[in-house]
Amino acid sequence: DTQMTQSPSSVSASVGDIVNITCRASQGISRWLAWYQQKPGSAPKLLIYSASTLQSGVPSRFSGSGSGTDFTLTISSLQPEDFATYYCQQANSFPFTFGPGTKVDFK
Amino acid sequence: QVQLQESGPGLVKPSETLSLTCTVSGDSISRSNYYSAWIRQPPGKGLEWIGSIYYSGNIYFNPSLKSRVTISVDTSKNQLSLTLTSVTAADTAVYFCARYASGKNWFDPWGQGTLVTVSS
């Protein structure tokens, strides 16, 4: 199985801040990586796929980069609606696996 | 717009069988080159992929659950089903269904999820 790790596990930030979240795969997954945003009581929402492709309707302040084993989700100017938990998911091979999540909360 | 809705008992006793259904609207569950999947999330914890079923009927399971999981599709009702046998408290979770296209192994859309608690 491909294990996914994320750092940090939580980050405190303010509106307007730049937030970077890192995801690392235990083996190379090329660009087979997706990012999700989840708010309490809701299902995860797909933000980015193929490591850097923005899902339709997702604001351009979200961006993704990386390939192989190291990936980054960047929120360029944090907005109030962005306070949530973010998960990465490797889509390279079964069993699909998720990172443990990064919670973005108010500083 | 494709929508998914999970349903089933919210409480299951230990050692019994958990059974859930996901009703798909806005698309055929047997649409070519699409998968339907189950994912779960214990309270306050992360996401775990349970398994996927391809439109052709091929099924893929998480090895950690494979011996206890059954996934099937009822095309007449446009529904996806999950059964999990011999449940324990560790199976308490929100269970989500989701869809994805072949070659695009990211989950979208998702159902809203349904909480299943395992307790006597």
Side-chain angles (χ1 to χ4, degrees), chain B:
Chain B
Q1 180 181 355
V2 181
Q3 294 186 314
L4 294 82
Q5 177 70 58
E6 304 88 347
S7 59
L11 181 64
V12 180
K13 290 182 168 55
S15 79
E16 296 191 344
T17 296
L18 177 160
S19 296
L20 296 175
T21 297
C22 170
T23 301
V24 178
S25 58
D27 193 15
S28 170
I29 198 167
S30 56
R31 181 176 179 179
S32 294
N33 303 316
Y34 270 77
Y35 290 87
S36 300
W38 288 99
I39 298 145
R40 70 179 183 177
Q41 184 173 38
K45 297 188 178 180
L47 298 157
E48 179 181 36
W49 172 75
I50 298 171
S52 298
I53 183 167
Y54 197 38
Y55 81 102
S56 63
N58 290 350
I59 305 174
Y60 306 87
F61 294 111
N62 191 323
S64 67
L65 296 167
K66 183 176 182 178
S67 64
R68 298 194 291 131
V69 172
T70 301
I71 295 176
S72 62
V73 165
D74 185 335
T75 56
S76 67
K77 297 180 179 179
N78 222 35
Q79 289 179 337
L80 172 71
S81 294
L82 170 72
T83 61
L84 181 65
T85 61
S86 305
V87 298
T88 70
D91 295 311
T92 294
V94 176
Y95 286 76
F96 297 99
C97 56
R99 298 254 291 161
Y100 61 100
S102 176
K104 298 180 180 181
N105 302 331
W106 26 87
F107 304 105
D108 182 70
W110 295 63
Q112 67 183 29
T114 187
L115 174 63
V116 179
T117 301
V118 178
S119 175
S120 56

